[in-house]
């Protein structure tokens, strides 16, 4: 015997632990059939499961029927005795402002509105009316886009503050319920136009495939469950590798250890790249296998090369890989120095070689360092505002500007004195003073000799 539709919703809530006693559920109420069903289903379950309901409706000011939709939501709230909060915001204006599609603008504005209500309710959650059919469409859209296994998981029943209590309910069944109960709902005519990608999938592509396989939507949703199970098995393994791989990260960039990254097989590299993109952006939307393959090809390129896809840059350096939001700006006034490789820099000849402990030179443009204390590639550049270092013989750091003043270096000459750096630390102000932190002492086992000669 088929389970009653409200009991199906109850089972979904319990199985996925979507709602707890004392919760306040903010329902994203559009006035459409899915939304109206969600309202009536949760209203029927609220006393038994011990939670409260609030309706939240954002008028997108997009269609002439928008006022009707808002009125319907407000009437539903009045009829059921549920508090209703409404707001109006033009998704078209926001789309132009942000240079995004109206659909994306509408989605962003809705969630921004819903989350503005949450702080008033310590046990608040946002319920959205995604259905079984929406899940199937999402999976197919991602297949068409070229998504990986992660994308095939599609929508989760619970994601942070978002819950989807009717994700197991088919559209035909909820429409039948609404009609049987004489519950009013609005029809968004834009959902009937096939010039939108999702509408074309819903109205054209899926019905054609269902002629061959009437259970096609169920197959798509089953695929999403299989993808979810697969990821739940290997995700901890990938996360462990990712945590070991990442040297540093902030909100704009993530740095991978070069040797560790290059030791990974390509499928694992692809997974950690996707994980890093998710860390930076909160999602991996529109990042296909072809995009990942392009990023993976960076390993075969020379140092300093980078690959850009939309707003993500991936760069290979001598001892790290950098993934960054936005373009990675390479300072053309900086050159990298490698052990044994001569380099030309703005009229200077630079060479870094190993030296014997007894070797010494009185040439001011030759200096010796503890090789084990430096990280290659070294860098050579001129001064920047805020530079500082620890001059040999000093206990603390000193601003480079103050050092030049103490040394009575003419202002016009200060910007023409090369600096050698290890990572971000100045190890030598060429011809003047090396850093205390990198000097050769009695414990030094390997000696580095750097010559910087003016051609």
């Amino acid at each position: 015997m088929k389970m009653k539709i409200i009991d199906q919703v109850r089972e979904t809530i319990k199985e996925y632990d979507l709602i707890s006693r004392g919760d306040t559920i903010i329902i994203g109420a559009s006035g459409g059939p899915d939304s109206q069903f969600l309202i009536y289903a949760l209203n029927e379950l609220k006393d038994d499961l011990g939670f409260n309901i609030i309706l939240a409706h954002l008028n997108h000011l997009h269609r002439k029927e928008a006022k009707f939709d808002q009125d319907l939501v407000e009437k539903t709230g009045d009829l059921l005795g549920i508090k209703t909060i409404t707001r109006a915001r033009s998704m078209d204006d926001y789309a132009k402002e942000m240079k995004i599609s109206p659909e994306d603008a509408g989605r962003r504005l809705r969630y921004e509105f819903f989350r503005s209500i949450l702080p008033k309710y310590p046990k608040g959650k946002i319920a959205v009316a995604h259905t079984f059919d929406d899940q199937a469409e999402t999976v197919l859209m991602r297949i068409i886009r070229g998504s990986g296994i992660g994308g095939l998981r599609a929508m989760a029943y619970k994601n942070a503050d978002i819950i989807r209590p009717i994700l197991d309910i088919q559209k035909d069944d909820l429409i039948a319920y609404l009609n049987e109960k004489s519950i009013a709902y609005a029809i968004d005519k834009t959902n009937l136009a096939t010039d939108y990608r999702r509408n074309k999938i819903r109205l054209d592509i899926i019905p054609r495939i269902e002629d061959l396989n009437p259970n096609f939507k169920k197959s798509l949703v089953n695929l999403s469950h299989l993808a979810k199970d697969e990821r739940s098995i290997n995700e901890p393994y990938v996360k462990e590798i990712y945590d070991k791989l990442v040297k540093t990260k902030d909100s704009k960039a993530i740095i991978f250890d070069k040797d560790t990254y290059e030791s990974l097989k390509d499928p694992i590299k692809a997974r950690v790249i996707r994980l890093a993109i998710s860390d930076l952006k909160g999602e991996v939307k529109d990042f296909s296998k072809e995009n990942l393959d392009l990023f993976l090809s960076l390993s075969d390129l020379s140092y300093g090369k980078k690959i850009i896809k939309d707003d993500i840059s991936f760069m290979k350096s001598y001892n790290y890989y950098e993934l960054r939001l936005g373009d990675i700006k390479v300072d053309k006034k900086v050159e990298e120095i490698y052990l044994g490789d001569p380099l030309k820099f703005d009229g200077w000849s630079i060479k870094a070689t190993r030296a014997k402990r007894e070797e010494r030179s009185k040439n001011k443009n030759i200096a010796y360092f503890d090789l084990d204390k430096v990280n290659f590639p070294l860098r050579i550049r001129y001064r920047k505002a805020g530079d500082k270092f620890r001059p040999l013989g000093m206990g603390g750091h000193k601003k480079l500007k103050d050092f030049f003043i103490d040394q009575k270096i003419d202002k016009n000459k200060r910007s023409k004195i090369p600096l050698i750096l290890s990572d971000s630390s100045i190890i030598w102000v060429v011809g003047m003073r090396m850093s205390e932190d990198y000097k050769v002492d009695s414990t030094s086992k390997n000696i580095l000799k750097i010559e910087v000669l003016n051609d």
Side-chain angles (χ1 to χ4, degrees), residues 123-335:
K123 294 191 68 179
K125 293 173 182 173
I126 299 164
V128 291
H130 291 128
T131 65
F132 183 92
D133 299 65
D134 294 322
Q135 184 76 310
E137 292 161 12
T138 300
V139 175
L140 184 53
M141 284 181 69
R142 293 185 179 180
I143 290 173
I144 292 170
R145 193 176 68 211
S147 173
I149 292 177
L152 295 184
R153 291 180 299 175
M155 295 180 286
Y157 289 88
K158 178 164 55 176
N159 184 12
D161 53 8
I162 305 292
I163 61 172
R164 297 180 173 90
I166 63 171
L167 202 54
D168 291 328
I169 304 299
Q170 296 190 40
K171 185 71 167 268
D172 289 345
D173 292 338
L174 71 83
I175 291 287
Y177 174 88
L178 294 175
N179 291 339
E180 179 187 338
K181 300 291 185 181
S182 298
I183 297 170
Y185 55 86
I187 298 295
D188 184 349
K189 292 180 180 178
T190 62
N191 288 335
L192 304 177
T194 56
D195 53 343
Y196 295 113
R197 181 185 298 180
R198 182 179 282 271
N199 290 355
K200 186 171 182 62
I201 287 172
R202 177 189 301 129
L203 302 173
D204 187 8
I205 296 175
I206 288 180
R208 291 190 185 199
I209 299 176
E210 284 178 327
D211 287 340
L212 303 173
N213 177 8
N215 294 316
F216 180 58
K217 282 189 279 194
K218 186 175 182 180
S219 298
L220 288 170
V221 172
N222 286 342
L223 179 61
S224 77
H225 291 314
L226 289 172
K228 180 182 177 183
D229 291 344
E230 180 71 21
R231 288 300 290 266
S232 69
I233 294 170
N234 58 37
E235 213 157 46
Y237 168 70
V238 175
K239 183 66 166 61
E240 183 178 347
I241 293 174
Y242 178 70
D243 289 340
K244 291 178 181 177
L245 175 69
V246 173
K247 294 176 68 175
T248 61
K249 68 176 179 178
D250 56 33
S251 61
K252 295 294 184 183
I254 294 176
I255 305 296
F256 295 156
D257 177 76
K258 176 180 173 292
D259 292 339
T260 306
Y261 174 79
E262 292 183 348
S263 72
L264 302 175
K265 294 183 178 179
D266 280 357
I268 300 298
K269 286 180 183 177
R271 290 290 300 278
V272 298
I273 290 172
R274 289 180 68 87
L275 195 53
I277 293 172
S278 180
D279 261 3
L280 291 175
K281 300 184 66 175
E283 61 180 5
V284 198
K285 187 178 179 182
D286 296 330
F287 211 85
S288 67
K289 183 181 183 302
E290 287 72 21
N291 302 143
L292 282 172
D293 287 344
L294 185 62
F295 273 17
L296 292 177
S297 70
L298 185 64
S299 297
D300 300 324
L301 303 181
S302 56
Y303 302 125
K305 296 295 185 182
K306 61 183 176 180
I307 293 172
I308 301 173
K309 168 62 175 77
D310 296 335
D311 59 345
I312 292 284
S313 302
F314 195 34
M315 186 184 78
K316 177 182 180 180
S317 189
Y318 183 76
N319 58 1
Y320 66 87
Y321 284 80
E322 179 179 354
L323 192 76
R324 175 174 289 276
L325 275 177
D327 193 3
I328 299 171
K329 303 297 183 184
V330 179
D331 191 339
K332 293 183 178 179
K333 295 183 179 179
V334 178
E335 294 286 354

Side-chain angles (χ1 to χ4, degrees), residues 434-446:
M434 61 180 291
S435 167
E436 175 74 20
D437 296 324
Y438 298 87
K439 70 179 182 181
V440 176
D441 58 28
S442 59
T443 66
S444 299
K445 296 179 180 179
N446 299 293

Side-chain angles (χ1 to χ4, degrees), residues 303-421:
Y303 302 125
K305 296 295 185 182
K306 61 183 176 180
I307 293 172
I308 301 173
K309 168 62 175 77
D310 296 335
D311 59 345
I312 292 284
S313 302
F314 195 34
M315 186 184 78
K316 177 182 180 180
S317 189
Y318 183 76
N319 58 1
Y320 66 87
Y321 284 80
E322 179 179 354
L323 192 76
R324 175 174 289 276
L325 275 177
D327 193 3
I328 299 171
K329 303 297 183 184
V330 179
D331 191 339
K332 293 183 178 179
K333 295 183 179 179
V334 178
E335 294 286 354
E336 294 186 340
I337 303 169
Y338 297 94
L339 193 63
D341 290 341
L343 173 73
K344 296 290 185 179
F345 174 79
D346 198 26
W348 298 86
S349 295
I350 305 100
K351 190 173 183 180
T353 55
R354 288 178 177 269
K356 296 180 180 180
R357 173 174 285 278
E358 62 272 16
E359 183 180 336
R360 285 290 183 268
S361 173
K362 294 183 179 180
N363 188 326
K364 66 177 182 178
N365 284 345
I366 298 176
Y368 300 87
F369 304 85
D370 187 322
L371 180 59
D372 297 317
K373 292 178 182 177
V374 303
N375 289 321
F376 280 91
L378 301 175
R379 292 175 176 81
I380 183 167
R381 64 167 171 83
Y382 294 122
R383 68 170 182 157
K384 293 181 179 179
D387 275 341
K388 59 184 178 180
F389 80 120
R390 188 181 175 204
L392 185 65
M394 286 190 61
H397 286 78
K398 193 177 190 70
K399 287 183 179 180
L400 187 59
K401 178 182 177 181
D402 293 339
F403 173 77
F404 283 147
I405 292 172
D406 291 345
Q407 298 297 311
K408 297 181 172 54
I409 303 299
D410 186 90
K411 282 185 178 182
N412 297 324
K413 294 182 179 180
R414 295 174 191 174
S415 295
K416 298 178 182 179
I417 298 174
L419 309 174
I420 307 293
L421 294 88

